[in-house]
Amino acid sequence: MNKAELFRALHLGRAPGDPLVLPGPWDAASARVFAEAGFPALATPSAGVAACLGYEDGATPAEEMFAAVARIVRAVDVPVSADVEGGFGLAPGELVERLLQAGVVGCNLEDSDGGVLKDPREHAGFLAEVRAAAGGALFVNARVDTFLHGDGDPERAVERAASYVAAGADCVYPIRAPVDVLPLLRAGIQGPLNMLAGLDGEGPSPAALGELGATRVTFGPGLQRRAARALREIADTLVP
């Protein structure tokens, strides 16, 4: 079984309360920490990588993002999925080629641009082209931004998710969805469901999200930001 097959298999047959937990490394050093801790796979956050490279979220040039992701992949033996925002304006075939060159086994693709939701039919068409170009070599996680940039209507989120799954997405990610709508999303969405978890007691634990229907749990840039705060606390003790 290759890494792409292993990554896909990790999403299947998850028991309630046992979601796939994917920490988000922002550089090679953090990736090694998570891999050595025993996590079976990793998922890079675009905002965390951007911070590491000195950019605001959404402002990282494609070349630098792919180079950073490739360094993370080279640093560990476990499968790595990459958040590539909206695809950097690349054509589906070129995007897939760049992802595979970087060595990743999956990607996040969001359905908004500049804080505005994309037309769901057009985005579904884009996802279908990515799927056709990638075949089984990439696990496509389609982000649904209804709760982040839309009106927060769960039914609309389910509609968008359904169209993306029909287009070939392997998983959907209704980012910032309130926990109380998770059972409704789970009932209306086929296949794996990604939920965002907080840290330090902010929101339900990964296990609790799994009990409510999450297949996998990610943290966005939360781990990078928590590490930055810890480093700041250390730095403050060093100031003369």
Side-chain angles (χ1 to χ4, degrees):
M1 182 182 293
N2 61 35
K3 286 185 178 179
E5 293 169 336
L6 172 59
F7 189 66
R8 182 168 279 104
L10 287 170
H11 292 77
L12 305 177
R14 309 294 311 190
D18 181 34
L20 175 62
V21 178
L22 297 175
W26 53 94
D27 59 12
S30 58
R32 287 188 177 128
V33 168
F34 295 135
E36 290 169 1
F39 289 97
L42 308 174
T44 69
S46 63
V49 174
C52 179
L53 296 175
Y55 293 100
E56 295 296 321
D57 184 20
T60 308
E63 291 292 335
E64 294 196 45
M65 181 64 78
F66 286 116
V69 168
R71 289 192 292 271
I72 289 170
V73 170
R74 287 197 299 269
V76 296
D77 292 328
V78 299
V80 177
S81 181
D83 181 348
V84 288
E85 301 173 356
F88 301 108
L90 299 173
E94 184 179 358
L95 175 61
V96 168
E97 181 179 358
R98 298 295 299 276
L99 287 164
L100 295 179
Q101 286 175 346
V104 301
V105 298
C107 63
N108 276 20
L109 289 167
E110 57 197 49
D111 69 345
S112 65
D113 183 20
V116 178
L117 289 175
K118 297 177 181 178
D119 180 279
R121 289 169 295 183
E122 293 180 4
H123 190 61
F126 174 74
L127 292 174
E129 292 185 57
V130 170
R131 167 55 64 223
L138 288 175
F139 186 95
V140 178
N141 188 32
R143 207 176 85 175
V144 179
D145 287 1
T146 305
F147 301 98
L148 184 63
H149 298 305
D151 61 6
D153 184 342
E155 295 295 342
R156 292 185 184 177
V158 168
E159 289 172 3
R160 282 180 171 264
S163 67
Y164 303 158
V165 171
D170 298 286
C171 182
V172 293
Y173 176 21
I175 188 170
R176 300 293 181 187
V179 175
D180 60 358
V181 305
L182 179 50
L184 176 62
L185 296 175
R186 176 69 284 169
I189 295 173
Q190 298 296 313
L193 179 61
N194 189 155
M195 287 292 286
L196 180 69
L199 297 171
D200 302 324
E202 296 179 0
S205 68
L209 290 172
E211 289 285 357
L212 292 169
T215 308
R216 83 181 207 178
V217 173
T218 52
F219 303 90
L223 290 160
Q224 181 271 326
R225 290 172 181 171
R226 180 66 186 87
R229 289 197 299 272
L231 187 59
R232 176 58 187 269
E233 290 168 6
I234 294 171
D236 286 343
T237 69
L238 304 177
V239 176

